[in-house]
Amino acid sequence: MKVGILGLGLIGGSLARAYSIAGHSVFSCEKDSHMQSFAQLCGAVEGDLTDYIIPQCDLILLAIYPEGCAKWLETHAHLIRPETLVMDCCGVKKTVCDRCFPIAEQYGFTFIGGHPMAGTHFSGFKYSRADLFQGAPMVMVPPRFDDIALLDRAKQVLSPCGFGSFSVTKAENHDRMIAFTSQMPHIISNAFIKSPTALEHKGFSAGSYKDLTRVAWLNPPMWAELFLENKEFVLHELSILLTSLEEYRDAIEHSDMDTLVRILNDGRKRKEEVDG
């Protein structure tokens, strides 16, 4: 299989390594020429994803920011043959799928929205690894939900990544859920670490501090774009959180033991409920 990958960051680089190790021919498009050369030197890619190579690809994975994915597809769609499967790997789906589904339909190839639910707080090709996706969930947003053959095909071409499970959903539902499970934790972590007290944490912090602050070290331009692309759902979750925080603050401020115990117990029970 010949695979084209747009972007060689953590996700794109890990995809390149996974497919290369599995014996597939990988070609990439990376704006950083030094990074492209390094990836070739590492054996993760064979060469550039040129206009000559694009029509030969069986699979094309778009692993850059949402706006960049859509623009690249708009520019190169005429080079993609009908048999090719194109999938993005962005953290939001509606803004990408709304633009890419019509392009694919116009030019006769298949586009599927995708979101590999894996990563680290590090970014860049140097942190990529072939086993990043081993056992991880993969969310897919297909153009049609009744096309079982297409979903099976997508699972087959993604097999070198080693995903542990596949979920199929609509773009809007993906974005609603991801605002809570991914985007909000990054906002909370990034805001929490700004306390002046954080400068004095050494010797006083353990697991809970590390868990809460791990994703404060993020890629600002990427996450800013994701937050704004999904602002409706992010703002909804922020409003819920702020209302809850007000309740905790009021109970503590007024030494209201009964209320504080109740809301803490509510949170504990909700954790049990959602995680089984």
Side-chain angles (χ1 to χ4, degrees), residues 200-206:
E200 308 168 41
H201 85 88
K202 290 184 179 179
F204 296 87
S205 57

Side-chain angles (χ1 to χ4, degrees), residues 244-263:
S244 292
L245 289 176
E246 289 279 358
E247 193 173 9
Y248 285 95
R249 188 185 67 177
D250 289 347
I252 293 171
E253 182 180 1
H254 296 98
S255 299
D256 188 343
M257 175 65 80
D258 291 340
T259 297
L260 189 55
V261 169
R262 177 183 59 78
I263 59 179

Side-chain angles (χ1 to χ4, degrees), residues 129-201:
R129 61 179 201 268
D131 64 350
L132 181 68
F133 310 108
Q134 286 291 327
M138 177 65 175
V139 182
M140 296 192 296
V141 178
R144 300 177 305 279
F145 283 82
D146 59 350
D147 194 340
I148 303 302
L150 173 59
L151 296 176
D152 286 340
R153 178 188 172 197
K155 291 179 182 180
Q156 286 298 318
V157 299
L158 289 170
S159 61
C161 301
F163 289 108
S165 64
F166 292 88
S167 298
V168 180
T169 188
K170 295 183 178 180
E172 186 170 2
N173 187 58
H174 167 277
D175 291 356
R176 179 179 65 86
M177 292 303 301
I178 221 68
F180 175 75
T181 63
S182 178
Q183 295 173 341
M184 280 297 291
H186 282 80
I187 291 173
I188 294 167
S189 181
N190 195 262
F192 174 78
I193 200 66
K194 293 176 183 176
S195 169
T197 312
L199 298 172
E200 308 168 41
H201 85 88

Side-chain angles (χ1 to χ4, degrees), residues 6-27:
L6 177 63
L8 287 175
L10 176 67
I11 299 300
S14 296
L15 289 168
R17 291 181 187 274
Y19 280 97
S20 179
I21 287 177
H24 301 287
S25 298
V26 179
F27 296 85

Side-chain angles (χ1 to χ4, degrees), residues 214-228:
R214 181 179 66 83
V215 293
W217 191 12
L218 44 68
N219 180 334
M222 181 188 78
W223 282 99
E225 180 173 334
L226 292 174
F227 295 154
L228 294 179

